[in-house]
Amino acid sequence: AANTRRVYAVNPDADTISVLDADSLAVLAEFPTCADPRSVAVQPGGTLWVACHDDDRIRVMNAQNGAVLADLDTGYGSAPVGVALNPAGTTAFVSLDGRRQVRRYDTTTRQQTGAVTVEGRPRALAVSADGTRLFATRFLSARHHGELYELNAATMALVATHRIPKFGNDANRDTTATGKGVINQLAGAAISPRTGRVLIAGNKPNSERGLLI
């Protein structure tokens, strides 16, 4: 039905995108897309922006039928992984794992309008509710802390590098359910609409306990 709430999920191993009913989680459709799609963002009006990791491109698709509308070449070895849109849907942001870069695109002209290079490999992206700030996770952390980059969405300048300290103290004692360690492989990010806080998904290895080979 036209008013069905939908969820779009990439399937990297199958090179497809699944369309789900947001309420029943029934699979409504599955579209072929590109080599190793890593993330997808939905533009108001029914357009999908897909990060195609192995194809080094962004693919723009029709959300209703999966038709390809445009391919944006990001350069050999750029390996796009994250894509996010501002709330108005007028701007797309893309993280390039192979270039350590975050790029900005105009969604109408589909032309690049800005870029910034960061120290680590950027991965997950999240845009603030007012569209002024962009956050990008550093996928592989430094030894003693994780990092979250804060960017000015208008100028694409790096505003701050927020350090995520090592988890320790009494709240992270070594037990069967908890332990010390540094957040690593920061693969997801979202901003809470209620608090404005950035929520990050990652794992928590503890290299101080020894290295497993």
Side-chain angles (χ1 to χ4, degrees), residues 40-161:
V40 58
V42 184
Q43 184 181 356
T47 302
L48 304 178
W49 284 64
V50 186
C52 301
H53 182 270
D54 288 1
D55 276 342
D56 295 324
R57 72 183 63 189
I58 299 299
R59 175 155 285 182
V60 184
M61 305 174 62
N62 184 301
Q64 297 299 317
N65 56 28
V68 176
L69 304 177
D71 279 328
L72 312 181
D73 186 357
T74 55
Y76 179 77
S78 57
V81 284
V83 59
L85 299 173
N86 68 344
T90 56
T91 303
F93 301 95
V94 177
S95 59
L96 302 180
D97 183 73
R99 297 282 177 87
R100 298 190 177 192
Q101 191 176 76
V102 179
R103 291 184 185 175
R104 184 183 63 198
Y105 291 84
D106 184 299
T107 57
T108 300
T109 64
R110 296 168 186 158
Q111 297 296 310
Q112 182 181 331
T113 59
V116 61
T117 300
V118 293
E119 181 181 356
R121 294 160 55 184
R123 178 61 60 99
L125 302 174
V127 185
S128 63
D130 61 5
T132 62
R133 295 184 298 163
L134 171 67
F135 295 90
T137 64
R138 175 176 175 171
F139 182 59
L140 297 179
S141 297
R143 181 170 182 178
H144 296 295
H145 64 270
E147 290 183 346
L148 177 70
Y149 304 116
E150 180 179 348
L151 308 174
N152 183 311
T155 64
M156 291 302 288
L158 179 64
V159 175
T161 299

